[in-house]
Amino acid sequence: MTPIALPRFANVIDAAAPFALALAIGAAVLLAAGFEPLGVYRLMIQEAFGGQRQIAATLTAATPLLLTGLAAAIAFRAGIFNVGAEGCFYLGGIVAAVIGFAAPTWPSFVLILIALATASLAGGLWLVGPGLLRARLGVDEVVTTLMLNFIAIALTSWLVNGPLLARGSANSATPLIAKRTS
């Protein structure tokens, strides 16, 4: 075995160990609850990756987690503990949806760029207050950004269930973004 292979193998083990521990703890909990762990894990894999629809659903559910995790990681690397990424994501999402259904005749490429830019701007502006409070008064950004999450979620929920509710919809939904045929 070459000297280079050992550190790489150690890195793989370091990365896999928490996953294996989580599977073992999950298996113990499933056994205690009267379920067969291998059957449950097999079903989880099938529902997550069993076909095109399952993969699309997995990616749809994972994207917000990945994006907010990335946002938090960037802030942590800068020494700021921003736990308000979820609120920014909600506000950015509602802004992008409004842009999407308000401008259905715009070219797709332009519409996507404008929606992403305005969503990013809305999310960034949402955290100006906590940034100023931290810089000027030394207020803890964990508390302010966490509390702003609840406000952003409540605000977007009110918008989707009130002023932006699609006509004829009984569910929480904004009007659909028009499909492009070209």
Side-chain angles (χ1 to χ4, degrees), residues 7-160:
R8 288 184 185 163
F9 184 69
N11 289 342
V12 170
I13 294 208
D14 286 345
F19 183 71
L21 181 63
L23 287 175
I25 292 171
V29 170
L30 287 168
L31 279 172
F35 295 99
E36 179 194 350
L38 290 179
V40 171
Y41 289 151
R42 189 178 308 112
L43 181 62
M44 287 172 62
I45 291 169
Q46 181 181 352
E47 288 299 316
F49 307 109
Q52 189 174 0
R53 284 183 172 226
Q54 287 87 353
I55 292 171
T58 299
L59 291 174
T60 299
T63 299
L65 297 172
L66 292 171
L67 291 175
T68 54
L70 179 62
I74 291 169
F76 290 159
R77 295 283 283 184
I80 302 295
F81 295 98
N82 173 19
V83 291
E86 184 180 12
C88 295
F89 187 83
Y90 271 78
L91 288 174
I94 197 74
V95 166
V98 167
I99 296 289
F101 69 74
T105 59
W106 290 10
S108 300
F109 182 73
V110 172
L111 182 59
I112 290 169
L113 287 178
I114 297 293
L116 284 173
T118 55
S120 299
L121 184 63
L125 288 174
W126 187 247
L127 292 181
V128 167
L132 288 173
L133 288 171
R134 162 112 170 137
R136 300 287 183 191
L137 303 174
V139 176
D140 186 21
E141 73 273 12
V142 174
V143 174
T144 54
T145 56
L146 182 62
M147 293 178 72
L148 278 176
N149 277 343
F150 294 103
I151 295 170
I153 292 167
L155 177 63
T156 55
S157 178
W158 173 77
L159 287 170
V160 169

